[in-house]
Amino acid sequence: MAQSVGIKDVARAAGVSVGTVSNVINRPETVAGDTRARVLSAIDRLGYVRSESARQLRAGRSRIMGLLVLDMGNPFFVDVARGAERAARDAGLGVMVCNSAQNAAEEAEYLSLFAEQRVRGVLLTPADATGRNIAAFRRHGIPFVLVDRVAEGTTECSVSVDDVAGGALAVRHLVDAGHRSIAYVSGPPGLNQVRDRRTGALNALAEAGLGPDALRELPTERLDVAAGRDAGARLLGLADRPTAVFCANDLLALGVLQALYAAGVVVPDDLAIVGYDDIEFAAAAAVPLTSVRQPAVTMGALAAGLLLEETEAGAEGGAGRHEHRRVVLQPELVVRRSSLAAR
């Protein structure tokens, strides 16, 4: 195994002190140009890489922010990560992205990993509906911000979208198009987002003078395309099939669309579809998908900004006080062909 190159090796090769090498790495403006060039040449020649763990021990602060999302297979969370990474990079930090896969046990393991690594802070979309994982992580004293979930207490910040309003936008659009029987392909019932979107759908039906029985819920265990295909098959098997379907996210909607296409059901003439998130694939589907847009990149950037504010306030020399805030963004309905049949 090749021996790692240390800062002493660089100093020896450049003919300078260890302190000079440290200054070139951390405060290059304090070192004369020719000396700096000689040290940088030695670093390049030897392949020296600074030990982040050693730097962290000296500084007492990590340069890594943790991000734990429900499903990195969902482009929505990829966009959240893009926004968070951009804000972190501007602050000189890196992002460790982890995927709970909508599994509470995996979420607990990653939160333990973040605690072991003593990350600067964590951006978290919870998978555990009981709140036990968050309660356990809170004991470590590491700041965290909830993403795509409203904070219920006063001990953390959150950035989310008004999912009740989003569910109402989707179903109000379908009601306005003449639909009076609508299926809701939901997802795991423990997720707040799924419940809030259902609440919004029921609110829109009530506004139109329709009762809750106008919404037929088809729950799924996951929020992916395969679960959508399964829900689509169940939808096709209903004796009194609804004329429209609202899906809790776009991946479910794309799966439903696949099942309907395979069965020869014409969208939107035979059955209209509305999704949620407005991922890139929504507009590129065989039948372009109407969807409720969430500003995912903005959500990630705002959450990272709140986390940075909190960690700076708690750092040595900081103000020491941070006001926890709940930021709730508004969704937007993007209408495409999947819901536009004349009725």
Side-chain angles (χ1 to χ4, degrees):
M1 178 181 294
Q3 187 174 1
S4 61
V5 176
I7 193 170
K8 291 182 180 179
D9 299 310
V10 175
R12 190 179 305 113
V16 299
S17 68
V18 169
T20 299
V21 177
S22 178
N23 284 337
V24 169
I25 295 171
N26 298 297
R27 295 176 296 277
E29 71 281 356
T30 65
V31 182
D34 57 342
T35 302
R36 185 167 66 246
R38 195 162 70 249
V39 171
L40 290 174
S41 175
I43 287 174
D44 183 61
R45 187 169 67 254
L46 297 175
Y48 168 76
V49 178
R50 179 171 63 176
S51 170
E52 175 59 23
S53 59
R55 190 214 64 80
Q56 182 177 329
L57 284 173
R58 291 192 300 271
R61 302 187 76 201
S62 172
R63 294 177 59 248
I64 299 298
M65 177 188 297
L67 171 62
L68 181 55
V69 300
L70 288 178
D71 181 10
M72 280 305 293
N74 186 339
F76 166 75
F77 288 110
V78 175
D79 285 343
V80 170
R82 283 175 49 217
E85 190 273 339
R86 187 179 303 162
R89 186 177 63 237
D90 289 345
L93 303 182
V95 179
M96 181 190 298
V97 182
C98 298
N99 176 25
S100 71
Q102 303 174 42
N103 184 290
E106 292 193 30
E107 176 181 82
E109 291 179 8
Y110 279 124
L111 289 175
S112 294
L113 174 64
F114 289 152
E116 290 170 7
Q117 296 296 319
R118 301 304 298 176
V119 297
R120 179 77 64 92
V122 173
L123 305 177
L124 170 64
T125 303
D128 176 25
T130 69
R132 285 192 291 265
N133 286 345
I134 289 179
F137 184 71
R138 193 179 281 119
R139 293 197 294 265
H140 295 290
I142 298 174
F144 65 93
V145 174
L146 299 181
V147 184
D148 197 30
R149 161 95 174 264
V150 178
E152 297 174 357
T154 58
T155 56
E156 60 269 335
C157 294
S158 66
V159 180
S160 63
V161 165
D162 188 340
D163 283 317
V164 175
L169 281 174
V171 172
R172 191 178 297 122
H173 168 68
L174 292 172
V175 169
D176 289 345
H179 298 283
R180 295 296 179 266
S181 178
I182 300 169
Y184 176 43
V185 177
S186 55
L191 292 179
N192 286 26
Q193 298 92 324
V194 167
R195 294 198 301 267
D196 287 349
R197 292 165 196 178
R198 180 179 184 273
T199 297
L202 292 173
N203 289 348
L205 291 173
E207 290 172 7
L210 299 172
D213 56 344
L215 192 72
R216 302 276 296 276
E217 185 166 1
L218 297 174
T220 63
E221 293 184 359
R222 300 185 62 78
L223 292 164
D224 54 25
V225 174
R229 283 196 298 267
D230 174 71
R234 284 184 281 149
L235 178 64
L236 290 168
L238 295 177
D240 184 17
R241 192 169 73 203
T243 61
V245 55
F246 166 44
C247 298
N249 77 358
D250 286 341
L251 295 183
L252 290 173
L254 292 172
V256 170
L257 183 61
Q258 289 178 7
L260 298 180
Y261 179 81
V265 175
V266 178
V267 175
D269 295 348
D270 298 332
L271 197 147
I273 302 178
V274 175
Y276 205 103
D277 289 340
D278 195 34
I279 62 176
E280 184 177 358
F281 300 135
V287 180
L289 184 66
T290 294
S291 185
V292 178
R293 176 179 293 165
Q294 297 197 84
V297 174
T298 299
M299 191 183 303
L302 287 174
L306 289 175
L307 186 61
L308 290 167
E309 285 181 18
E310 183 170 358
T311 58
E312 290 303 318
E316 184 178 352
R321 295 185 62 185
H322 172 73
E323 180 182 351
H324 292 295
R325 302 198 300 277
R326 300 178 187 175
V327 178
V328 180
L329 305 173
Q330 291 304 307
E332 174 190 359
L333 182 70
V334 181
V335 178
R336 300 189 180 95
R337 189 156 60 89
S338 70
S339 63
L340 284 181
R343 303 191 62 81

